[in-house]
Amino acid sequence: MKLLIMGPPGAGKGTQAKILAKKFNLVHLSTGDILRKEIDKSSEVGLKAQTYMNAGNLVPDEVLLEMMQSTLTELKDSGVILDGFPRTIPQAIGLSKIFQSLNQAIDSIINIEVDKNVLITRLVERAKKSGRADDTEEVIVNRQNVYLELTAPLIEFYQSNIIHIDGDGSIDEVTERILNHIP
Ligand code: ADP
């Protein structure tokens, strides 16, 4: 099974992706987590990504596409849940080419929706504990704007194939809503 989970920063997609990965025995591919690990290792990808991430901007599409092409090829026989990728239209087009070349397709696309003000409050709260370099208020606001400009258009791109989930509620409630839609 190939799942894709989308939503604005703070919507809880990482949390839900972990739960779904466990339940359906999927590899959880969080591009944010992968990139943070690359930064810790000071790898070539990490060095390229760091300045963009710290400012709350997107890492260039080519970097992500190259990384995901090799990861998805390696994992072609496993179930995966994509969390944080694609984040732009060129990434989505690239992803469909990757899957096509592997003779595969996305089974379900989940979009978690949460009101903007709730998101900012959640992220500012999380920032107090996370210690992430991109969790300052200014960068959080930038990440929301980047989402609206570059990632939200994916909703139109995938259109009717998307399952829309109300992300306002407890973790369990949101998981329940998602599970109601997955065959
Ligand atoms: P959040 O969803 O809370 O914003 P993530 O951990 O998913 O956080 O991503 C953190 C940062 O990693 C993003 O702001 C961006 O700089 C970078 N990043 C992650 N995925 C991508 C992607 N698909 N394309 C470009 N940049 C990405």
Side-chain angles (χ1 to χ4, degrees):
M1 177 158 54
K2 309 285 177 188
L3 291 185
L4 199 163
I5 190 158
M6 308 197 305
K13 60 188 155 50
T15 306
Q16 295 299 332
K18 278 195 197 96
I19 296 171
L20 296 172
K22 204 162 173 196
K23 185 161 177 68
F24 296 109
N25 198 18
L26 309 171
V27 180
H28 176 204
L29 288 178
S30 156
T31 44
D33 287 350
I34 297 172
L35 291 170
R36 279 184 286 277
K37 280 189 198 133
E38 294 297 324
I39 291 176
D40 288 345
K41 287 192 284 186
S42 301
S43 70
E44 200 182 321
V45 169
L47 293 174
K48 271 190 212 158
Q50 191 163 29
T51 357
Y52 297 100
M53 286 178 76
N54 288 351
N57 292 321
L58 295 186
V59 177
D61 290 335
E62 313 83 73
V63 177
L64 267 292
L65 282 167
E66 205 175 304
M67 187 173 98
M68 295 312 280
Q69 161 115 43
S70 56
T71 308
L72 289 170
T73 307
E74 265 166 44
L75 292 171
K76 69 175 174 0
D77 298 323
S78 314
V80 299
I81 180 159
L82 290 171
D83 162 14
F85 177 87
R87 241 182 172 92
T88 63
I89 301 273
Q91 289 181 19
I93 295 171
L95 176 64
S96 74
K97 288 189 185 140
I98 296 172
F99 276 143
Q100 236 166 35
S101 73
L102 298 171
N103 239 328
Q104 294 178 331
I106 304 171
D107 294 288
S108 300
I109 304 172
I110 299 152
N111 181 44
I112 305 188
E113 297 170 319
V114 180
D115 179 77
K116 192 176 169 199
N117 295 326
V118 178
L119 291 175
I120 305 248
T121 316
R122 276 190 193 176
L123 285 171
V124 171
E125 273 309 304
R126 183 177 85 180
K128 292 182 190 153
K129 300 171 225 157
S130 80
R132 260 172 57 169
D134 62 350
D135 265 351
T136 63
E137 187 153 1
E138 191 192 337
V139 175
I140 288 169
V141 170
N142 187 43
R143 275 158 53 209
Q144 295 297 336
N145 291 335
V146 167
Y147 169 80
L148 288 178
E149 192 189 332
L150 296 169
T151 310
L154 290 178
I155 297 171
E156 183 81 3
F157 179 86
Y158 285 121
Q159 283 188 10
S160 52
N161 296 319
I162 298 187
I163 301 161
H164 292 281
I165 300 290
D166 175 6
D168 198 358
S170 71
I171 293 176
D172 288 349
E173 278 165 353
V174 177
T175 308
E176 191 65 35
R177 286 176 201 149
I178 297 175
L179 293 178
N180 283 337
H181 285 91
I182 295 186

mmCIF file of all heavy atoms in Angstrom, residues 7-10 13 30-33 35-36 49 52-53 56-61 64 83-88 91 123 126 132 134 143, ligand 1:
data_model
loop_
_atom_site.group_PDB
_atom_site.id
_atom_site.type_symbol
_atom_site.label_atom_id
_atom_site.label_comp_id
_atom_site.label_asym_id
_atom_site.label_seq_id
_atom_site.Cartn_x
_atom_site.Cartn_y
_atom_site.Cartn_z
ATOM 1 N N GLY A 7 -1.168 18.138 4.447
ATOM 2 C CA GLY A 7 -1.825 19.077 5.349
ATOM 3 C C GLY A 7 -0.854 20.161 5.719
ATOM 4 O O GLY A 7 0.352 19.985 5.564
ATOM 5 N N PRO A 8 -1.354 21.296 6.204
ATOM 6 C CA PRO A 8 -0.468 22.402 6.557
ATOM 7 C C PRO A 8 0.427 22.056 7.749
ATOM 8 O O PRO A 8 0.122 21.115 8.490
ATOM 9 C CB PRO A 8 -1.445 23.528 6.918
ATOM 10 C CG PRO A 8 -2.734 22.861 7.199
ATOM 11 C CD PRO A 8 -2.769 21.610 6.393
ATOM 12 N N PRO A 9 1.542 22.793 7.911
ATOM 13 C CA PRO A 9 2.391 22.558 9.078
ATOM 14 C C PRO A 9 1.571 22.689 10.364
ATOM 15 O O PRO A 9 0.816 23.647 10.514
ATOM 16 C CB PRO A 9 3.425 23.701 9.018
ATOM 17 C CG PRO A 9 3.423 24.163 7.612
ATOM 18 C CD PRO A 9 2.045 23.893 7.074
ATOM 19 N N GLY A 10 1.658 21.690 11.219
ATOM 20 C CA GLY A 10 0.914 21.738 12.478
ATOM 21 C C GLY A 10 -0.396 20.974 12.425
ATOM 22 O O GLY A 10 -1.092 20.826 13.426
ATOM 23 N N LYS A 13 0.012 15.785 10.671
ATOM 24 C CA LYS A 13 0.223 14.700 9.707
ATOM 25 C C LYS A 13 1.322 13.744 10.144
ATOM 26 O O LYS A 13 1.210 12.548 9.927
ATOM 27 C CB LYS A 13 0.415 15.200 8.282
ATOM 28 C CG LYS A 13 1.579 16.110 8.057
ATOM 29 C CD LYS A 13 1.526 16.686 6.655
ATOM 30 C CE LYS A 13 2.254 18.003 6.582
ATOM 31 N NZ LYS A 13 3.623 18.080 7.128
ATOM 32 N N SER A 30 9.036 10.493 6.312
ATOM 33 C CA SER A 30 8.847 11.917 6.584
ATOM 34 C C SER A 30 10.052 12.651 6.017
ATOM 35 O O SER A 30 11.168 12.493 6.513
ATOM 36 C CB SER A 30 8.752 12.151 8.096
ATOM 37 O OG SER A 30 9.119 13.484 8.410
ATOM 38 N N THR A 31 9.823 13.458 4.965
ATOM 39 C CA THR A 31 10.977 14.134 4.352
ATOM 40 C C THR A 31 11.598 15.127 5.332
ATOM 41 O O THR A 31 12.813 15.303 5.325
ATOM 42 C CB THR A 31 10.591 14.826 3.021
ATOM 43 O OG1 THR A 31 9.359 15.506 3.188
ATOM 44 C CG2 THR A 31 10.485 13.815 1.916
ATOM 45 N N GLY A 32 10.791 15.737 6.211
ATOM 46 C CA GLY A 32 11.362 16.636 7.225
ATOM 47 C C GLY A 32 12.333 15.881 8.136
ATOM 48 O O GLY A 32 13.460 16.327 8.377
ATOM 49 N N ASP A 33 11.914 14.693 8.623
ATOM 50 C CA ASP A 33 12.791 13.882 9.496
ATOM 51 C C ASP A 33 14.038 13.427 8.742
ATOM 52 O O ASP A 33 15.141 13.460 9.282
ATOM 53 C CB ASP A 33 12.056 12.621 10.001
ATOM 54 C CG ASP A 33 11.008 12.952 11.063
ATOM 55 O OD1 ASP A 33 10.986 14.115 11.536
ATOM 56 O OD2 ASP A 33 10.210 12.054 11.407
ATOM 57 N N LEU A 35 15.477 14.847 6.201
ATOM 58 C CA LEU A 35 16.390 15.986 5.981
ATOM 59 C C LEU A 35 17.091 16.387 7.280
ATOM 60 O O LEU A 35 18.280 16.706 7.275
ATOM 61 C CB LEU A 35 15.627 17.172 5.386
ATOM 62 C CG LEU A 35 15.133 16.997 3.943
ATOM 63 C CD1 LEU A 35 14.179 18.127 3.547
ATOM 64 C CD2 LEU A 35 16.311 16.965 2.966
ATOM 65 N N ARG A 36 16.359 16.342 8.409
ATOM 66 C CA ARG A 36 17.009 16.687 9.689
ATOM 67 C C ARG A 36 18.136 15.697 10.008
ATOM 68 O O ARG A 36 19.177 16.097 10.522
ATOM 69 C CB ARG A 36 15.974 16.754 10.826
ATOM 70 C CG ARG A 36 15.203 18.083 10.864
ATOM 71 C CD ARG A 36 14.259 18.188 12.051
ATOM 72 N NE ARG A 36 13.075 17.346 11.892
ATOM 73 C CZ ARG A 36 11.990 17.711 11.198
ATOM 74 N NH1 ARG A 36 11.929 18.899 10.623
ATOM 75 N NH2 ARG A 36 10.956 16.904 11.089
ATOM 76 N N ALA A 49 20.355 21.508 2.361
ATOM 77 C CA ALA A 49 18.999 21.737 2.881
ATOM 78 C C ALA A 49 18.945 22.739 4.044
ATOM 79 O O ALA A 49 17.946 23.442 4.222
ATOM 80 C CB ALA A 49 18.400 20.402 3.344
ATOM 81 N N TYR A 52 17.733 26.555 3.885
ATOM 82 C CA TYR A 52 16.318 26.652 3.495
ATOM 83 C C TYR A 52 15.431 26.286 4.671
ATOM 84 O O TYR A 52 14.466 26.979 4.995
ATOM 85 C CB TYR A 52 16.006 25.701 2.338
ATOM 86 C CG TYR A 52 16.750 26.000 1.063
ATOM 87 C CD1 TYR A 52 17.883 25.279 0.722
ATOM 88 C CD2 TYR A 52 16.309 26.994 0.196
ATOM 89 C CE1 TYR A 52 18.569 25.534 -0.463
ATOM 90 C CE2 TYR A 52 16.987 27.256 -0.992
ATOM 91 C CZ TYR A 52 18.118 26.529 -1.309
ATOM 92 O OH TYR A 52 18.788 26.778 -2.469
ATOM 93 N N MET A 53 15.754 25.169 5.304
ATOM 94 C CA MET A 53 14.894 24.668 6.382
ATOM 95 C C MET A 53 14.855 25.626 7.563
ATOM 96 O O MET A 53 13.799 25.892 8.116
ATOM 97 C CB MET A 53 15.370 23.299 6.847
ATOM 98 C CG MET A 53 15.033 22.217 5.849
ATOM 99 S SD MET A 53 15.628 20.626 6.354
ATOM 100 C CE MET A 53 14.449 20.185 7.629
ATOM 101 N N GLY A 56 12.507 28.252 7.087
ATOM 102 C CA GLY A 56 11.118 27.846 6.848
ATOM 103 C C GLY A 56 10.778 27.835 5.374
ATOM 104 O O GLY A 56 9.615 27.841 4.995
ATOM 105 N N ASN A 57 11.810 27.850 4.521
ATOM 106 C CA ASN A 57 11.563 27.768 3.075
ATOM 107 C C ASN A 57 11.710 26.330 2.603
ATOM 108 O O ASN A 57 12.252 25.491 3.323
ATOM 109 C CB ASN A 57 12.550 28.670 2.325
ATOM 110 C CG ASN A 57 12.275 30.132 2.622
ATOM 111 O OD1 ASN A 57 11.110 30.544 2.725
ATOM 112 N ND2 ASN A 57 13.331 30.919 2.782
ATOM 113 N N LEU A 58 11.236 26.080 1.384
ATOM 114 C CA LEU A 58 11.345 24.716 0.874
ATOM 115 C C LEU A 58 12.734 24.460 0.308
ATOM 116 O O LEU A 58 13.340 25.339 -0.300
ATOM 117 C CB LEU A 58 10.297 24.464 -0.215
ATOM 118 C CG LEU A 58 8.836 24.505 0.219
ATOM 119 C CD1 LEU A 58 7.939 24.085 -0.936
ATOM 120 C CD2 LEU A 58 8.591 23.624 1.435
ATOM 121 N N VAL A 59 13.201 23.264 0.502
ATOM 122 C CA VAL A 59 14.440 22.794 -0.099
ATOM 123 C C VAL A 59 14.133 22.609 -1.596
ATOM 124 O O VAL A 59 13.016 22.204 -1.943
ATOM 125 C CB VAL A 59 14.848 21.460 0.580
ATOM 126 C CG1 VAL A 59 16.088 20.870 -0.046
ATOM 127 C CG2 VAL A 59 15.043 21.688 2.089
ATOM 128 N N PRO A 60 15.097 22.935 -2.489
ATOM 129 C CA PRO A 60 14.789 22.857 -3.929
ATOM 130 C C PRO A 60 14.237 21.492 -4.371
ATOM 131 O O PRO A 60 14.650 20.444 -3.867
ATOM 132 C CB PRO A 60 16.146 23.134 -4.597
ATOM 133 C CG PRO A 60 16.913 23.926 -3.590
ATOM 134 C CD PRO A 60 16.442 23.454 -2.241
ATOM 135 N N ASP A 61 13.316 21.544 -5.326
ATOM 136 C CA ASP A 61 12.634 20.344 -5.814
ATOM 137 C C ASP A 61 13.611 19.250 -6.265
ATOM 138 O O ASP A 61 13.392 18.068 -5.973
ATOM 139 C CB ASP A 61 11.719 20.703 -6.998
ATOM 140 C CG ASP A 61 10.508 21.520 -6.565
ATOM 141 O OD1 ASP A 61 10.117 21.418 -5.378
ATOM 142 O OD2 ASP A 61 9.950 22.248 -7.404
ATOM 143 N N LEU A 64 14.885 17.099 -3.430
ATOM 144 C CA LEU A 64 13.874 16.173 -2.914
ATOM 145 C C LEU A 64 13.586 15.056 -3.902
ATOM 146 O O LEU A 64 13.460 13.897 -3.512
ATOM 147 C CB LEU A 64 12.574 16.958 -2.651
ATOM 148 C CG LEU A 64 12.375 17.507 -1.241
ATOM 149 C CD1 LEU A 64 12.180 16.355 -0.258
ATOM 150 C CD2 LEU A 64 13.526 18.365 -0.769
ATOM 151 N N ASP A 83 4.998 11.444 3.961
ATOM 152 C CA ASP A 83 4.605 12.531 4.866
ATOM 153 C C ASP A 83 5.532 13.717 4.598
ATOM 154 O O ASP A 83 6.704 13.672 4.928
ATOM 155 C CB ASP A 83 4.748 11.985 6.307
ATOM 156 C CG ASP A 83 4.796 13.061 7.378
ATOM 157 O OD1 ASP A 83 4.453 14.221 7.086
ATOM 158 O OD2 ASP A 83 5.178 12.722 8.523
ATOM 159 N N GLY A 84 5.002 14.754 3.946
ATOM 160 C CA GLY A 84 5.826 15.936 3.656
ATOM 161 C C GLY A 84 6.347 15.960 2.236
ATOM 162 O O GLY A 84 7.095 16.856 1.868
ATOM 163 N N PHE A 85 5.945 15.010 1.453
ATOM 164 C CA PHE A 85 6.324 14.952 0.042
ATOM 165 C C PHE A 85 5.184 14.322 -0.733
ATOM 166 O O PHE A 85 4.688 13.290 -0.294
ATOM 167 C CB PHE A 85 7.604 14.116 -0.133
ATOM 168 C CG PHE A 85 8.029 13.947 -1.574
ATOM 169 C CD1 PHE A 85 8.838 14.881 -2.176
ATOM 170 C CD2 PHE A 85 7.597 12.846 -2.309
ATOM 171 C CE1 PHE A 85 9.226 14.731 -3.503
ATOM 172 C CE2 PHE A 85 7.975 12.698 -3.652
ATOM 173 C CZ PHE A 85 8.791 13.646 -4.239
ATOM 174 N N PRO A 86 4.743 14.874 -1.843
ATOM 175 C CA PRO A 86 5.217 16.087 -2.484
ATOM 176 C C PRO A 86 4.723 17.352 -1.783
ATOM 177 O O PRO A 86 3.686 17.337 -1.126
ATOM 178 C CB PRO A 86 4.610 15.995 -3.882
ATOM 179 C CG PRO A 86 3.352 15.194 -3.693
ATOM 180 C CD PRO A 86 3.655 14.231 -2.596
ATOM 181 N N ARG A 87 5.474 18.430 -1.960
ATOM 182 C CA ARG A 87 5.113 19.696 -1.341
ATOM 183 C C ARG A 87 4.952 20.797 -2.378
ATOM 184 O O ARG A 87 4.675 21.946 -2.018
ATOM 185 C CB ARG A 87 6.222 20.091 -0.386
ATOM 186 C CG ARG A 87 5.779 20.214 1.074
ATOM 187 C CD ARG A 87 6.998 20.670 1.863
ATOM 188 N NE ARG A 87 6.714 21.020 3.217
ATOM 189 C CZ ARG A 87 6.795 20.183 4.241
ATOM 190 N NH1 ARG A 87 7.091 18.929 4.067
ATOM 191 N NH2 ARG A 87 6.573 20.625 5.456
ATOM 192 N N THR A 88 5.180 20.462 -3.643
ATOM 193 C CA THR A 88 4.992 21.438 -4.733
ATOM 194 C C THR A 88 4.436 20.655 -5.933
ATOM 195 O O THR A 88 4.535 19.429 -5.974
ATOM 196 C CB THR A 88 6.338 22.060 -5.190
ATOM 197 O OG1 THR A 88 7.157 21.017 -5.727
ATOM 198 C CG2 THR A 88 7.079 22.761 -4.057
ATOM 199 N N GLN A 91 7.077 18.601 -7.682
ATOM 200 C CA GLN A 91 7.352 17.365 -6.922
ATOM 201 C C GLN A 91 6.260 16.327 -7.179
ATOM 202 O O GLN A 91 6.536 15.127 -7.287
ATOM 203 C CB GLN A 91 7.455 17.651 -5.423
ATOM 204 C CG GLN A 91 8.715 18.411 -5.025
ATOM 205 C CD GLN A 91 8.813 18.653 -3.522
ATOM 206 O OE1 GLN A 91 8.151 17.979 -2.724
ATOM 207 N NE2 GLN A 91 9.625 19.616 -3.132
ATOM 208 N N LEU A 123 1.593 25.215 16.808
ATOM 209 C CA LEU A 123 3.020 25.213 16.472
ATOM 210 C C LEU A 123 3.830 26.013 17.481
ATOM 211 O O LEU A 123 4.936 25.627 17.840
ATOM 212 C CB LEU A 123 3.234 25.767 15.063
ATOM 213 C CG LEU A 123 2.844 24.805 13.952
ATOM 214 C CD1 LEU A 123 2.870 25.500 12.599
ATOM 215 C CD2 LEU A 123 3.791 23.613 13.915
ATOM 216 N N ARG A 126 4.226 23.725 20.377
ATOM 217 C CA ARG A 126 5.195 22.668 20.091
ATOM 218 C C ARG A 126 6.613 23.221 20.122
ATOM 219 O O ARG A 126 7.543 22.556 20.580
ATOM 220 C CB ARG A 126 4.904 22.080 18.699
ATOM 221 C CG ARG A 126 5.817 20.917 18.329
ATOM 222 C CD ARG A 126 5.482 20.306 16.985
ATOM 223 N NE ARG A 126 6.108 21.017 15.895
ATOM 224 C CZ ARG A 126 5.978 20.699 14.602
ATOM 225 N NH1 ARG A 126 5.196 19.690 14.253
ATOM 226 N NH2 ARG A 126 6.565 21.383 13.669
ATOM 227 N N ARG A 132 13.415 22.614 17.668
ATOM 228 C CA ARG A 132 13.721 22.659 16.243
ATOM 229 C C ARG A 132 14.083 24.078 15.822
ATOM 230 O O ARG A 132 13.438 25.043 16.235
ATOM 231 C CB ARG A 132 12.486 22.203 15.446
ATOM 232 C CG ARG A 132 12.599 20.768 15.002
ATOM 233 C CD ARG A 132 11.318 20.254 14.395
ATOM 234 N NE ARG A 132 10.836 21.034 13.252
ATOM 235 C CZ ARG A 132 9.860 20.622 12.462
ATOM 236 N NH1 ARG A 132 9.277 19.461 12.672
ATOM 237 N NH2 ARG A 132 9.452 21.379 11.461
ATOM 238 N N ASP A 134 13.546 25.576 13.207
ATOM 239 C CA ASP A 134 12.529 26.284 12.425
ATOM 240 C C ASP A 134 11.227 26.456 13.203
ATOM 241 O O ASP A 134 10.192 26.716 12.644
ATOM 242 C CB ASP A 134 12.272 25.556 11.089
ATOM 243 C CG ASP A 134 11.739 24.138 11.281
ATOM 244 O OD1 ASP A 134 11.739 23.638 12.433
ATOM 245 O OD2 ASP A 134 11.304 23.547 10.282
ATOM 246 N N ARG A 143 6.393 29.436 7.275
ATOM 247 C CA ARG A 143 6.062 28.089 6.807
ATOM 248 C C ARG A 143 4.597 27.992 6.394
ATOM 249 O O ARG A 143 4.251 27.284 5.445
ATOM 250 C CB ARG A 143 6.407 27.050 7.873
ATOM 251 C CG ARG A 143 7.890 26.640 7.781
ATOM 252 C CD ARG A 143 8.449 26.053 9.058
ATOM 253 N NE ARG A 143 7.693 24.967 9.590
ATOM 254 C CZ ARG A 143 7.636 24.682 10.898
ATOM 255 N NH1 ARG A 143 8.286 25.398 11.780
ATOM 256 N NH2 ARG A 143 6.913 23.670 11.311
HETATM 257 P P1 ADP B 1 6.236 20.787 9.051
HETATM 258 O O1 ADP B 1 5.268 19.954 8.289
HETATM 259 O O2 ADP B 1 5.943 20.863 10.508
HETATM 260 O O3 ADP B 1 6.463 22.145 8.445
HETATM 261 P P2 ADP B 1 8.443 19.030 8.210
HETATM 262 O O4 ADP B 1 9.256 18.315 9.221
HETATM 263 O O5 ADP B 1 7.557 18.242 7.323
HETATM 264 O O6 ADP B 1 7.665 20.132 9.014
HETATM 265 O O7 ADP B 1 9.422 19.884 7.263
HETATM 266 C C1 ADP B 1 10.370 20.786 7.778
HETATM 267 C C2 ADP B 1 11.110 21.489 6.645
HETATM 268 O O8 ADP B 1 11.783 20.520 5.826
HETATM 269 C C3 ADP B 1 10.255 22.287 5.665
HETATM 270 O O9 ADP B 1 9.932 23.581 6.148
HETATM 271 C C4 ADP B 1 11.181 22.326 4.438
HETATM 272 O O10 ADP B 1 12.203 23.284 4.595
HETATM 273 C C5 ADP B 1 11.842 20.954 4.470
HETATM 274 N N1 ADP B 1 11.094 19.990 3.626
HETATM 275 C C6 ADP B 1 10.476 18.856 4.054
HETATM 276 N N2 ADP B 1 9.869 18.220 3.027
HETATM 277 C C7 ADP B 1 10.123 18.969 1.921
HETATM 278 C C8 ADP B 1 9.750 18.872 0.558
HETATM 279 N N3 ADP B 1 9.007 17.859 0.085
HETATM 280 N N4 ADP B 1 10.175 19.837 -0.299
HETATM 281 C C9 ADP B 1 10.940 20.839 0.120
HETATM 282 N N5 ADP B 1 11.306 21.019 1.399
HETATM 283 C C10 ADP B 1 10.911 20.096 2.292
#
